[in-house]
Amino acid sequence: MEIFSSFVDLVEQVLTWFVEKVDGPLWDITTVTLLGVGLFFTITTGLVQLRLLPRSLREMWSGRSAEGNSLTPFQAFTTGLASRVGVGNIGGVATAIAIGGEGAVFWMWITALIGMSSAFAESSLAQLFKVKEPCGLYRGGPAYYITQGLKAPWLGVLFAISLIFTFGFAFNAVQANSIVEATSNAWHWKPEYVGLFLVVMTALIIFGGVKRIGVVSAKLVPMMALFYLIIALIILGMNINAIPMVISRIVSSAFDFSAMAGGMFGAIFSKAMLMGVKRGLFSNEAGMGSAPNSAATADVKHPASQGLIQMLGVFVDTIVVCSCTAIIILLSDNYGSESLKGISLTQNALQYHVGDFGLHFLAFILFLFAYSSIIGNYAYAESNIRFIRNKPLFVLIFRLIVLFFVYFGAVNHANIVWNFADTVMAIMAMINLVAIVLLAPIVWLILKDYQRQVKVGQEPVFKIEDHPELLKRGVDKDIWS
């Protein structure tokens, strides 16, 4: 046990050195790029996130069955939502408010609305360039559309490695760390015991395969979201007269540039704007290249169908769930305290509104949020491990490393865990953003084909015979014939 503890300490030292060298300037550039690419797709798709939002609801509910081992559109949606809805909606929102003030919530909304178009683009590409395994399971994602669409296999491998580190290791460590903080506040559980429990629970799922991940997420995500939204609506109902004032404060504070951000863009962005953008992106992940990995596993008739479904996930994550958390916090009496940040701030807010029940309720619900995120994160990472080397021994070693980082996140300080996640997330996002911009003409082609069929009253079906030029890009003819 002493040897294992020494190894954990060594990993912490290495990660601390890595973060100190690259995190700051890298995230400055990434934030601007993410917003720029989101605006690019918003304009060039004709506000697809607004025009086709009702259609996205229909697409999610219409596809309830899949062939063989492939996932249904709803299961792929909930797997993606499992990774989005989690610590970002609880601890991330609280951190944004604690550092950036009330106005950070407004910029989280803007980031989500803009990012929905990027989510449509990346997930549609993932569907188009997906491949079918001998077992009947679909796989895909940025690593696949970079390799096939851009003919850049080296960049595809680099993206796959960055995603494995981000979701398989760093994000799972963040989720475990957050579970420990919440359960420690509520029940004073020891981190080591919680970490071991999470390792066992994670192992039971990840050794069952991606199909089991989709099944579990399809049941778990709606349940946990419903529980959380019910308690949120109760609190909002109890304070209905104060909500307009809270929203007014959010909007007015968003344009208060008296508190400027630091770093490369400190002279342009306020703290509210920068924190809202960063934590909004951490929560909904639009454009980062994560959700396309689950989007590709769905069995749909048109690539744009799953693009619309994943776009809906961004809306639900930020506009619905994050807003509930933000209003709960801003209606409490102690959200401006410097001693309360992250999950502790949200727990304090719930305790203020509904008593000690809120403290225990959030610890329980956060366990569900974070645990489902671990499941979704693993699904993304496994797809990319198999992209690099689809061998049983290779996958086994990867799974064991995932379990190590779950424990690592549980027993280590929050700063190193979150900073490591921020750094590797930025690397992954930059690679994906470059790729989807270069592949933008294909995104437009997919959207045009989909809208043409909807306009004449047809159920959209993508036929590769109508677009033979895509065969030269590596699209699988058998899947889309």
Side-chain angles (χ1 to χ4, degrees):
M1 189 66 184
E2 185 176 344
I3 296 176
F4 181 76
S5 299
S6 299
F7 179 71
V8 172
D9 292 339
L10 176 61
V11 172
E12 181 182 1
Q13 293 173 14
V14 172
L15 295 182
T16 301
W17 174 85
F18 174 67
V19 167
E20 289 177 350
K21 295 294 182 181
V22 302
D23 181 67
L26 178 61
W27 250 110
D28 284 338
I29 296 171
T30 302
T31 300
V32 174
T33 305
L34 276 162
L35 287 177
V37 172
L39 286 170
F40 170 74
F41 280 109
T42 295
I43 295 169
T44 59
T45 61
L47 297 173
V48 64
Q49 62 267 55
L50 299 181
R51 292 189 299 107
L52 296 183
L53 183 61
R55 184 79 191 184
S56 67
L57 288 167
R58 178 179 175 181
E59 289 287 357
M60 183 184 68
W61 287 107
S62 62
R64 305 297 295 178
S65 62
E67 298 179 359
N69 293 323
S70 58
L71 301 183
T72 68
F74 182 71
Q75 287 176 341
F77 169 76
T78 53
T79 300
L81 195 60
S83 184
R84 283 197 183 103
V85 177
V87 172
N89 305 86
I90 300 176
V93 173
T95 301
I97 293 173
I99 298 177
E102 300 163 327
V105 179
F106 175 85
W107 294 110
M108 291 185 76
W109 294 339
I110 296 300
T111 301
L113 292 174
I114 293 174
M116 287 170 69
S117 63
S118 301
F120 170 81
E122 62 185 358
S123 293
S124 297
L125 288 170
Q127 263 291 320
L128 180 66
F129 287 98
K130 68 185 179 183
V131 298
K132 195 170 188 178
E133 298 288 335
C135 64
L137 182 70
Y138 291 119
R139 295 195 182 278
Y144 294 79
Y145 58 67
I146 289 172
T147 298
Q148 296 164 210
L150 295 180
K151 305 299 181 184
W154 65 271
L155 189 59
V157 171
L158 184 61
F159 175 86
I161 293 172
S162 67
L163 187 144
I164 290 164
F165 271 83
T166 301
F167 282 85
F169 307 152
F171 278 15
N172 280 343
V174 167
Q175 304 298 337
N177 184 272
S178 300
I179 290 174
V180 166
E181 181 180 351
T183 55
S184 176
N185 290 339
W187 308 313
H188 308 291
W189 288 356
K190 291 185 177 181
E192 295 82 1
Y193 296 157
V194 176
L196 290 174
F197 176 74
L198 288 174
V199 166
V200 172
M201 292 296 293
T202 303
L204 290 175
I205 296 296
I206 67 176
F207 282 97
V210 173
K211 179 64 177 180
R212 182 179 294 177
I213 291 171
V215 172
V216 171
S217 296
K219 296 177 180 178
L220 188 60
V221 173
M223 181 184 69
M224 70 178 186
L226 180 62
F227 285 166
Y228 188 70
L229 289 175
I230 286 174
I231 197 71
L233 290 175
I234 291 173
I235 293 173
L236 296 185
M238 293 165 55
N239 299 273
I240 189 68
N241 294 330
I243 292 177
M245 184 180 297
V246 170
I247 295 176
S248 175
R249 281 162 33 203
I250 289 173
V251 175
S252 61
S253 298
F255 299 95
D256 180 5
F257 288 85
S258 60
M260 306 305 295
M264 185 183 303
F265 299 103
I268 302 175
F269 295 156
S270 67
K271 282 187 178 181
M273 182 185 295
L274 195 59
M275 284 306 302
V277 170
K278 288 185 68 173
R279 287 301 163 235
L281 293 171
F282 180 88
S283 178
N284 61 54
E285 302 167 17
M288 288 185 181
S290 51
N293 293 272
S294 63
T297 63
D299 182 17
V300 295
K301 296 179 179 179
H302 200 288
S305 297
Q306 197 64 32
L308 292 174
I309 291 172
Q310 296 304 117
M311 182 183 80
L312 178 63
V314 176
F315 181 87
V316 172
D317 171 88
T318 304
I319 304 302
V320 178
V321 183
C322 284
S323 295
C324 287
T325 301
I327 294 175
I328 288 172
I329 292 172
L330 295 177
L331 284 171
S332 67
D333 65 338
N334 204 21
Y335 75 85
S337 172
E338 294 185 0
S339 62
L340 292 175
K341 294 181 180 180
I343 292 162
S344 298
L345 178 57
T346 311
Q347 284 184 298
N348 177 80
L350 277 176
Q351 190 174 23
Y352 168 80
H353 291 295
V354 295
D356 289 342
F357 165 78
L359 182 68
H360 300 295
F361 172 81
L362 189 60
F364 171 72
I365 206 73
L366 181 69
F367 176 84
L368 294 181
F369 274 118
Y371 180 61
S372 68
S373 292
I374 290 175
I375 295 172
N377 293 345
Y378 173 81
Y380 292 158
E382 184 194 274
S383 177
N384 285 269
I385 277 288
R386 293 186 184 276
F387 170 81
I388 297 174
R389 184 176 293 274
N390 194 4
K391 299 292 183 181
L393 180 60
F394 200 67
V395 174
L396 174 62
I397 294 172
F398 159 70
R399 288 172 174 172
L400 294 176
I401 298 175
V402 168
L403 296 178
F404 167 80
F405 271 95
V406 169
Y407 184 80
F408 176 86
V411 300
N412 268 279
H413 196 275
N415 284 346
I416 180 58
V417 174
W418 278 85
N419 289 340
F420 172 49
D422 277 346
T423 304
V424 293
M425 176 172 60
I427 295 172
M428 183 188 79
M430 288 300 297
I431 298 172
N432 182 61
L433 290 168
V434 170
I436 62 175
V437 168
L438 293 177
L439 293 171
I442 297 179
V443 176
W444 303 331
L445 183 151
I446 293 171
L447 180 59
K448 183 179 179 180
D449 183 85
Y450 181 89
Q451 292 181 135
R452 174 182 59 81
Q453 297 183 57
V454 170
K455 188 175 182 179
V456 297
Q458 297 177 353
E459 192 65 28
V461 176
F462 189 80
K463 298 179 180 179
I464 193 64
E465 294 82 2
D466 296 337
H467 309 283
E469 69 275 15
L470 292 179
L471 294 174
K472 298 178 181 179
R473 293 277 197 157
V475 175
D476 192 322
K477 181 179 180 180
D478 294 334
I479 292 177
W480 298 110
S481 294

